[in-house]
Amino acid sequence: MSAAKAPKGTYDLLPAAAERRADIVAIAADVFTSYGFRQIVTPEFEETALFARGVGDATDIVRKEMYSFPDRGGRELTLRPEGTAPVCRAYVEHGMFKLVKPVKLWYYAPMFRYERPQAGRYREHYQFGAEALGSDDPLVDAEVIAMLGQIYDELEIGDLTLAVNSMGDQQCRPAYMELLRGFLTAHAAELCGECGERTVTNPLRVFDCKVESCRAVLSEAPRLVDHLCDPCRRHFDTVLELLRRVGLDPVLDFRLVRGLDYYTRTTFEYQSNALGFAQSTIGGGGRYDGLVELIGGPPTPGFGFGSGLERVTLVAGLDEAEDEGPLAYVVSFAPDSRADAFALAQHLRRDLLVDAECDLVGRSAKAQLKQAGRSGAELALLVGLDDLVDGEVRVRDLDSGDEEDVALAELGDWFDDWLDDDELGGHGHHHGNGNGNPLGGNGGGDR
Ligand code: HAM
């Protein structure tokens, strides 16, 4: 067999990238928590009908992009293409509508869409996202949009445009759709074939079309924001006002209908002006006041967003976490002290909570010392030396070369002192407080 590769449109995160990803998610998680959101985890696959109904039969996601399959029991299943319908499904299934409203949930999960891969677009991508269920108050829209803005701030992402639009509701949208349909029908000759179909199935989807001639036609089309009913108008105006009140600068974009059918009223996207390619939307979402009812729950308004980790990672200002080795590397000097080295490493990690490694491939003592240096360890703990007193281990500071013999029973105290000094002198990657360097060095140098 030729060497296996990851499937098209997927990627591996190697350790440095995985650690940076974890840092980004941890920052988002802290912000979610500070706004009172709690994490939810739902299955990687759901019944296909959930997405067909929730996301919408006429959307590209449902028509062309789902990874759907029958399982061995004949169930029709789909790998989750997006996070909102599953969260709403869980909300209904677990009776969360009985909880204090709004119910605030966040998630971090992979999404699967059979799209044409390109820069910033994958077949498996990860999103962090949030959903607030149970209130149609415009404060919810503003709070969630501002929360995502804060996450981006904390990730040091600059140069963003906040685009917003309103999709209206069941009162005003049907009449607008007829108006739009009439307009599109009159311009049918100028539209691409797909938009011809969309005119019939779901005219709003025409706004997603990237074909230049279609876009030209649409710049003349009637706009939903100009045809909102009074309650939708007031709702949207309040959202805009609240966003400005907290220092955001929403820009109206009449094309922002988003690729999912469940939206009502507010839609929004944060677009990065730093990404030099088409996929510049790093996060987006909106209000979906009909979705929970559509999938069988009680009427429940909702608002949320999803943000793509791959794109966020490209623009995040955070530095990559430094590669850190273990604090200690245990070196065995005699073939029959390998088990002692292993047991000592285990004692360090488990009982003393000191990051430690020992040789696992049968290196010579010299090669182990070399590996200790290469690993980034600050200390080597030497065992199996002829001149060592029984029950003692020799600790060598790998920077200064200073050595000291320490009784095994006192190793915990020794590390406490050393780590205390570490904090003052800046040995690097470990914590503690107090002073005194048991090796008598200069306090660890200049890291
Ligand atoms: P979405 O706009 O389809 O919305 O996806 C949200 C974000 O995920 C996008 O803004 C983008 O950053 C990222 N994304 C989407 N598709 C891909 C892809 N193929 N490759 C890489 N990144 C991608 C939703 O999924 C809604 N569930 C958001 C929402 C939550 N609305 C209300 N609540």
Side-chain angles (χ1 to χ4, degrees), residues 235-256:
H235 193 277
F236 192 43
D237 287 343
T238 308
V239 172
L240 294 174
E241 204 179 291
L242 290 166
L243 291 173
R244 291 187 186 115
R245 172 76 188 271
V246 294
L248 291 164
D249 179 23
V251 177
L252 201 66
D253 179 356
F254 71 92
R255 291 180 195 273
L256 194 70

Side-chain angles (χ1 to χ4, degrees), residues 168-431:
D169 66 2
Q170 287 321 313
Q171 292 309 309
C172 50
R173 193 157 36 177
Y176 168 77
M177 296 267 265
E178 280 321 304
L179 196 66
L180 180 61
R181 194 172 269 136
F183 172 87
L184 295 171
T185 308
H187 291 80
E190 300 150 68
L191 297 174
C192 72
E194 218 169 316
C195 282
E197 274 174 45
R198 289 167 172 149
T199 302
V200 184
T201 54
N202 185 350
L204 275 178
R205 294 269 70 86
V206 172
F207 285 99
D208 295 335
C209 188
K210 298 285 176 293
V211 177
E212 216 25 75
S213 51
C214 295
R215 288 176 69 87
V217 170
L218 281 170
S219 61
E220 306 297 322
R223 299 176 180 188
L224 186 39
V225 275
D226 299 327
H227 297 270
L228 297 176
C229 57
D230 285 345
C232 283
R233 181 77 252 169
R234 275 199 301 277
H235 193 277
F236 192 43
D237 287 343
T238 308
V239 172
L240 294 174
E241 204 179 291
L242 290 166
L243 291 173
R244 291 187 186 115
R245 172 76 188 271
V246 294
L248 291 164
D249 179 23
V251 177
L252 201 66
D253 179 356
F254 71 92
R255 291 180 195 273
L256 194 70
V257 296
R258 310 222 351 104
L260 308 99
D261 275 351
Y262 48 62
Y263 290 113
T264 57
R265 294 191 164 172
T266 316
T267 51
F268 78 100
E269 286 183 0
Y270 280 98
Q271 295 152 356
S272 167
N273 307 311
L275 284 178
F277 45 84
Q279 312 303 324
S280 64
T281 299
I282 62 169
R287 183 162 279 291
Y288 46 87
D289 291 346
L291 179 56
V292 171
E293 196 174 4
L294 186 69
I295 63 172
T300 307
F303 189 94
F305 70 81
S307 182
L309 263 299
E310 297 77 12
R311 297 179 197 175
V312 163
T313 302
L314 284 174
V315 289
L318 289 185
D319 289 336
E320 201 156 289
E322 246 178 82
D323 247 353
E324 281 191 357
L327 174 60
Y329 198 99
V330 184
V331 175
S332 150
F333 270 78
D336 62 4
S337 65
R338 288 194 82 212
D340 294 341
F342 166 68
L344 176 56
Q346 198 61 5
H347 173 57
L348 290 169
R349 294 179 294 226
R350 205 186 58 180
D351 306 323
L352 307 185
L353 307 182
V354 167
D355 297 354
E357 288 190 61
C358 65
D359 171 62
L360 298 175
V361 293
R363 292 181 182 90
S364 68
K366 194 174 151 208
Q368 289 177 58
L369 276 170
K370 200 167 157 197
Q371 179 53 29
R374 216 189 276 139
S375 74
E378 296 180 48
L379 301 169
L381 270 60
L382 318 181
V383 300
L385 291 162
D386 290 338
D387 61 338
L388 262 177
V389 176
D390 243 11
E392 290 194 348
V393 34
R394 182 157 302 159
V395 183
R396 177 186 295 177
D397 183 315
L398 287 166
D399 265 346
S400 65
D402 293 342
E403 291 189 346
E404 182 182 341
D405 290 355
V406 181
L408 278 170
E410 279 154 31
L411 211 47
D413 291 338
W414 188 91
F415 268 100
D416 283 347
D417 287 346
W418 195 84
L419 292 170
D420 284 352
D421 172 69
D422 185 39
E423 177 124 297
L424 289 177
H427 276 299
H429 53 203
H430 284 266
H431 30 208

Side-chain angles (χ1 to χ4, degrees), residues 82 84 113 115 120 122 127 131 258 262-263 281 304-305 308:
E82 67 97 43
T84 309
R113 298 182 190 179
E115 294 192 87
Y122 300 88
Q127 287 182 19
E131 314 292 346
R258 310 222 351 104
Y262 48 62
Y263 290 113
T281 299
F305 70 81

